[in-house]
Amino acid sequence: MARAGRQPARRLTAPRRAARVFFALWPDDSVRDALYRNAQMLHRGCGGRVMRRENVHLTLVFIGDVAVERLDELRSAAGAIAGHSFEFVLDQLGYWRHNRIVWAAPQSVPGPLREIVGALESGLKQAGFEFDRRPYAPHLTLLRNAREPRVLPGLDVPWPVSDFALVQSVRDDRGSRYEVVASWPLAPGAR
Ligand code: 2AM
């Protein structure tokens, strides 16, 4: 009788598919263009890698890997938050030595931005999602792996915000590409 060869162990459960996701403010073309121009200009002085124009964003809450079956729950949690539209100005460029990134940010964090982040965090907690809990430092990464700039020029980019988005990070042949999975309008803010 022929001896049966060793069979590979059969999987008893299907592999769990995960999506790498985060909530973000997604700039319109004029904000995106202005930031990308600044990134290219800064790149001449401090090297590194310019963030892809289409990837520029401001993270609200970073979640990381979530089982794809739970994405609908994440959508419901986000859809339930109350937030208001607002306008702010990106008026600061900066550099962090610990991760060698050059970033753009508002010098003072607008109240409605804090409220959206707070509402998302409590909605996520209630729905049982884990997320990054480091103190919130809103910024848009422009360059990665950059040298410290000798001087940082001024910045003045107004940004009217009327929605927020759930974004998925997908690998492609150029690295990570960020895709908007869903977005939610913000209620008109007080004038
Ligand atoms: P960064 O640009 O400063 O690296 C997608 O990765 C987005 O989520 C980026 O804006 C990134 O910030 C942010 N991000 C990645 N890992 C994170 C983490 N552990 N905590 C908070 N934000 C994170």
Side-chain angles (χ1 to χ4, degrees), residues 20 22 57 59 62 99 101 132 134 139 141 144 178:
R20 186 173 170 81
F22 54 94
H57 68 278
T59 297
F62 182 80
N99 55 5
I101 70 171
D132 189 272
R134 276 178 291 183
H139 66 281
T141 299
R144 291 197 188 278
Y178 300 148

Side-chain angles (χ1 to χ4, degrees), residues 52-159:
R52 286 160 69 163
R53 179 190 170 281
E54 66 273 21
N55 276 357
V56 170
H57 68 278
L58 185 148
T59 297
L60 297 169
V61 182
F62 182 80
I63 300 173
D65 284 349
V66 162
V68 289
E69 309 83 65
R70 293 198 72 199
L71 286 177
D72 277 346
E73 262 178 85
L74 203 52
R75 281 196 180 88
S76 310
I81 77 145
H84 291 97
S85 56
F86 61 99
E87 172 152 351
F88 71 133
V89 182
L90 299 170
D91 53 2
Q92 188 180 20
L93 291 168
Y95 178 77
W96 285 329
R97 285 190 183 148
H98 71 277
N99 55 5
R100 296 170 55 83
I101 70 171
V102 177
W103 45 261
Q107 286 194 48
S108 67
V109 184
L113 176 56
R114 280 198 190 285
E115 281 163 25
I116 294 165
V117 171
L120 273 172
E121 289 185 347
S122 56
L124 292 173
K125 247 184 252 168
Q126 265 178 25
F129 285 98
E130 295 292 328
F131 53 87
D132 189 272
R133 289 172 190 248
R134 276 178 291 183
Y136 187 53
H139 66 281
L140 298 96
T141 299
L142 301 182
L143 297 179
R144 291 197 188 278
N145 204 20
R147 292 185 297 273
E148 185 162 10
R150 285 197 206 174
V151 257
L152 282 162
L155 185 71
D156 182 13
V157 180
W159 184 355

Side-chain angles (χ1 to χ4, degrees), residues 1-7:
M1 202 170 77
R3 268 181 70 199
R6 264 174 92 90
Q7 299 293 314

